[in-house]
């Protein structure tokens, strides 16, 4: 088997740059687009689906749709993982999925934001539901096989860490590009285009770019040059059961659910934190994310060195502590900390969040690769696709709960009469309250405390000792 060159590492990593652009845009702007707050409405946004807690008087419609999308996405992860593990194709087990799904994924992503009726309509609700389900299925078809290659392409721990750092860099850049969307659509707005069409054109441009990036590793890597693995013969339920029999994997998945629940709450809320708590322009969302990205990149070389010295488990627990401080500070930001200028508060959030972001950008995916390799040594069966699918299943479960809870928690402090402003019987305003957004940030902070406690029980020494016996 060939060793990974730097060129092939970056060829692989560019694929993550592509799907992270799309994922970042969905994570950052889907709720904002379909449940605009008052500041966004004042700037030209309109409601396209019913607003407020219209489902059983507890849940918002966008929260329910996105949560169902995440649940559907999570359920299909093991299915796609098993299909990929079992695939017998001349191109390998992973590359065919990546080739087949990239273009449809880019197209469906754009359609998510192209609701056909220019106003509140049940047709838009159905459109949103169908396109969101299609989006989550297609991104699973690309991402599950893609991430499985992280466990199969590298020959040793050094290559694994370098490859993980590469895809972490492209993930951050891709997600960062997602946060630049307001800068792009502002250009169209200033040229005379209305806000919603400007946003749609922006998403289409970024989708084309993302699709090209996703196709780079699909056509640039010969999987069989690096992987000499026989397709698995287990069915989905059998493979999934074997995967979750691994105790350390269950522990890792437990912290992942909690972590991604908290992170998704915070990430979805960032545009609202900026506009409603800090009372800064919407474009500051981009500035803050770019700041987080650039500062976290500074820490990358230190993370790889600290991994060799302290191990992955300790670093991940330290990162949880960092996010506890970041999210906790955000919960108090704005007038609660009025003695600190809001611009300084924004800088503090960026500084606090950059180091844990660097750690979580590199370490978790290498831990999954380690567990998958350890399991392969013990069982003699290569099921890295199912390990990554099962991990993604848990991750998306946490994100689904977050999407469901965010839109409900954000409305705490708003009475029903405030939703029904003037003659707006369809509840077209008031997506959330400052108090609700503070609750969101606080919940995200508490989740990180729980995640750190769960990670404490992960037996890193046992996993690494098994792997070393093979590498030696």
């Amino acid at each position: 088997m060939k060793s990974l060159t730097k060129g092939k590492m970056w060829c692989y990593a560019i694929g993550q740059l592509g799907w992270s652009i799309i994922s970042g845009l969905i994570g950052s702007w889907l709720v904002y687009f379909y449940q605009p707050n008052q500041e966004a409405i004042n700037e030209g946004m309109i409601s396209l689906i019913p607003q407020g807690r219209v489902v059983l008087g507890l849940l918002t419609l966008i929260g329910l749709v996105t949560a169902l999308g995440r649940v559907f996405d999570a359920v299909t992860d093991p299915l796609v993982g098993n299909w990929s593990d079992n695939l017998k194709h001349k191109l390998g087990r992973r590359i065919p999925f990546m080739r087949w799904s990239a273009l449809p994924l880019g197209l469906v992503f754009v359609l998510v934001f192209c609701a056909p009726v220019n106003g509140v309509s049940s047709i838009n609700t159905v459109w949103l539901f169908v396109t969101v389900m299609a989006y989550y299925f297609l991104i699973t078809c690309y991402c599950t096989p893609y991430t499985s290659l992280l466990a199969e392409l590298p020959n040793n721990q050094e290559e694994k860490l370098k490859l993980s750092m590469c895809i972490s860099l492209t993930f951050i850049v891709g997600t960062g590009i997602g946060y630049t969307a307001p800068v792009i659509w502002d250009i169209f707005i200033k040229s005379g285009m209305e806000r919603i069409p400007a946003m749609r054109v922006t998403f289409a441009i970024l989708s084309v770019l993302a699709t090209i990036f996703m196709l780079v590793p699909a056509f640039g890597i010969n999987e069989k040059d690096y992987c000499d693995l026989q397709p698995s013969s287990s069915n989905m339920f059998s493979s999934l059961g074997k995967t979750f029999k691994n105790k350390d994997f269950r522990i890792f998945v437990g912290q992942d659910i909690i972590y991604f629940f908290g992170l998704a709450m915070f990430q979805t809320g960032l545009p609202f934190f900026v506009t409603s708590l800090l009372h800064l322009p919407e474009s500051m969302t981009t500035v803050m994310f770019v700041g987080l990205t650039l500062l976290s990149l500074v820490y990358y070389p230190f993370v790889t060195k600290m991994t060799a010295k302290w191990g992955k488990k300790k670093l991940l627990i330290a990162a949880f502590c960092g996010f506890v401080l970041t999210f906790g500070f955000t919960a108090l930001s704005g007038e609660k900390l009025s003695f600190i200028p809001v611009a300084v508060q924004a800088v503090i959030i960026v500084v606090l969040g950059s180091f844990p972001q660097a750690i979580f950008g590199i370490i978790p995916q290498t831990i999954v690769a380690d567990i998958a390799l350890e399991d392969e040594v013990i069982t003699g069966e290569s099921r890295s696709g199912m390990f990554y699918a099962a991990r993604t299943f848990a991750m998306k479960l946490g994100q689904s709960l977050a999407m469901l809870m965010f839109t409900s928690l954000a409305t705490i402090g708003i009475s029903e009469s405030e939703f029904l402003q003037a003659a707006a019987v369809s509840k077209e305003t008031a997506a959330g309250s400052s108090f609700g957004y503070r609750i969101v940030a606080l919940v995200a902070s508490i989740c990180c405390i729980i995640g750190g406690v769960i990670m404490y029980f992960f037996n890193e020494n046992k996993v690494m000792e098994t792997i070393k016996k093979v590498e030696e």
Side-chain angles (χ1 to χ4, degrees):
M1 293 295 102
K2 293 182 179 180
S3 295
L4 277 176
T5 63
K6 288 184 178 179
K8 287 300 180 183
M9 286 185 182
W10 286 110
C11 177
Y12 173 73
I14 287 173
Q16 179 124 328
L17 175 60
W19 72 258
S20 64
I21 290 174
I22 288 177
S23 177
L25 288 167
I26 286 286
S28 301
W29 303 110
L30 180 62
V31 172
Y32 189 83
F33 188 86
Y34 280 101
Q35 186 173 294
N37 60 4
Q38 189 60 53
E39 288 83 359
I41 289 173
N42 292 341
E43 298 211 4
M45 291 294 292
I46 64 171
S47 295
L48 298 171
I49 61 174
Q51 304 294 297
R53 297 184 288 271
V54 297
V55 182
L56 303 176
L58 298 172
L59 306 175
T60 62
L61 194 56
I62 181 64
L64 180 63
V65 170
T66 52
L68 288 175
R70 284 293 189 180
V71 170
F72 174 74
D73 186 20
V75 169
T76 56
D77 275 322
L79 178 64
V80 173
N82 187 245
W83 285 349
S84 182
D85 280 342
N86 294 349
L87 183 65
K88 297 177 181 179
H89 194 280
K90 63 181 181 180
L91 296 176
R93 299 191 295 174
R94 318 302 181 188
I95 293 297
F97 279 90
M98 293 162 60
R99 288 189 181 184
W100 298 335
S101 59
L103 188 59
L105 173 58
L107 176 62
V108 168
F109 161 75
V110 176
L111 293 178
V112 168
F113 295 95
C114 293
V117 179
N118 191 36
V120 175
S121 170
S122 58
I123 295 175
N124 290 342
T125 302
V126 174
W127 178 277
L128 176 64
F129 177 78
V130 172
T131 55
V132 164
M133 296 301 145
Y135 161 79
Y136 281 123
F137 177 71
L138 288 168
I139 200 166
T140 296
C141 286
Y142 186 91
C143 291
T144 296
Y146 176 87
T147 52
S148 300
L149 288 174
L150 180 61
E152 298 169 353
L153 295 178
N155 289 322
N156 52 56
Q157 285 292 314
E158 182 181 358
E159 285 187 359
K160 192 181 297 179
L161 274 173
K162 287 181 179 179
L163 190 60
S164 180
M165 185 171 71
C166 289
I167 65 173
S168 176
L169 286 168
T170 52
F171 179 80
I172 289 177
V173 173
T175 308
I177 290 174
Y179 274 105
T180 66
V183 177
I184 300 174
W185 69 57
D186 277 348
I187 294 174
F188 291 115
I189 291 172
K190 289 176 181 177
S191 68
M193 190 178 293
E194 292 185 2
R195 188 178 184 83
I196 288 182
M199 293 178 74
R200 287 170 174 164
V201 171
T202 299
F203 293 145
I205 292 171
L206 293 175
S207 179
V208 171
L209 184 65
T211 301
I212 293 171
F213 288 150
M214 285 190 289
L215 289 172
V216 169
F219 286 92
I221 292 178
N222 186 344
E223 183 181 334
K224 293 193 173 182
D225 284 345
Y226 306 95
C227 311
D228 186 20
L229 301 172
Q230 294 299 316
S232 173
S233 58
S234 299
N235 62 45
M236 184 186 75
F237 294 105
S238 173
S239 182
L240 189 62
K242 292 175 183 177
T243 300
F244 276 102
K245 281 183 179 179
N246 189 305
K247 180 181 177 181
D248 288 304
F249 184 69
R250 292 198 304 271
I251 292 171
F252 178 81
V253 162
Q255 65 83 32
D256 237 20
I257 293 174
I258 299 297
Y259 164 68
F260 278 103
F261 176 84
L263 182 66
M265 293 273 281
F266 186 82
Q267 185 182 49
T268 304
L270 186 56
F272 302 106
F273 300 150
V274 169
T275 58
S276 294
L277 298 186
L278 296 175
H279 300 292
L280 293 171
E282 178 187 272
S283 58
M284 275 299 296
T285 303
T286 302
V287 174
M288 288 180 67
F289 189 87
V290 170
L292 270 168
T293 301
L294 295 178
L295 192 54
S296 67
L297 294 180
V298 173
Y299 291 118
Y300 268 45
F302 299 101
V303 170
T304 55
K305 291 179 180 178
M306 287 186 290
T307 300
K309 183 177 180 180
W310 294 338
K312 299 168 187 175
K313 172 181 172 178
K314 290 181 180 178
L315 277 185
L316 215 55
I317 292 174
F320 272 120
C321 294
F323 274 137
V324 169
L325 294 176
T326 305
F327 301 161
F329 182 86
T330 302
L332 298 173
S333 62
E335 60 264 22
K336 300 293 182 182
L337 298 172
S338 57
F339 57 91
I340 303 176
V342 289
V344 176
Q345 292 184 37
V347 171
I348 292 174
I349 292 171
V350 168
V351 172
L352 288 175
S354 57
F355 180 63
Q357 178 172 296
I359 294 174
F360 270 102
I362 298 175
I363 300 302
Q365 54 261 34
T366 64
I367 292 179
V368 179
D370 290 340
I371 295 173
L373 180 56
E374 181 213 24
D375 190 81
E376 181 184 346
V377 172
I378 295 172
T379 66
E381 186 176 11
S382 173
R383 292 179 292 103
S384 57
M386 183 56 76
F387 270 99
Y388 276 98
R391 186 255 173 150
T392 308
F393 174 92
M395 175 185 76
K396 291 172 182 175
L397 178 60
Q399 292 174 330
S400 299
L401 293 172
M403 297 299 286
L404 188 64
M405 292 300 297
F406 172 83
T407 51
S408 297
L409 291 176
T411 59
I412 293 176
I414 296 181
S415 65
E416 187 67 16
S417 61
E418 289 175 298
F419 281 118
L420 302 171
Q421 289 187 2
V425 179
S426 57
K427 304 178 182 178
E428 296 179 351
T429 60
S433 68
S434 295
F435 180 74
Y437 297 138
R438 294 187 194 282
I439 294 296
V440 167
L442 180 61
V443 169
S445 182
I446 294 172
C447 285
C448 287
I449 295 175
I450 298 172
V453 171
I454 294 174
M455 192 62 197
Y456 176 80
F457 295 97
F458 176 70
N459 193 341
E460 181 181 15
N461 292 333
K462 178 179 72 70
V463 173
M464 298 311 297
E465 285 173 4
T466 304
I467 292 175
K468 285 179 182 178
K469 291 177 183 178
V470 178
E471 293 181 348
E472 290 172 356

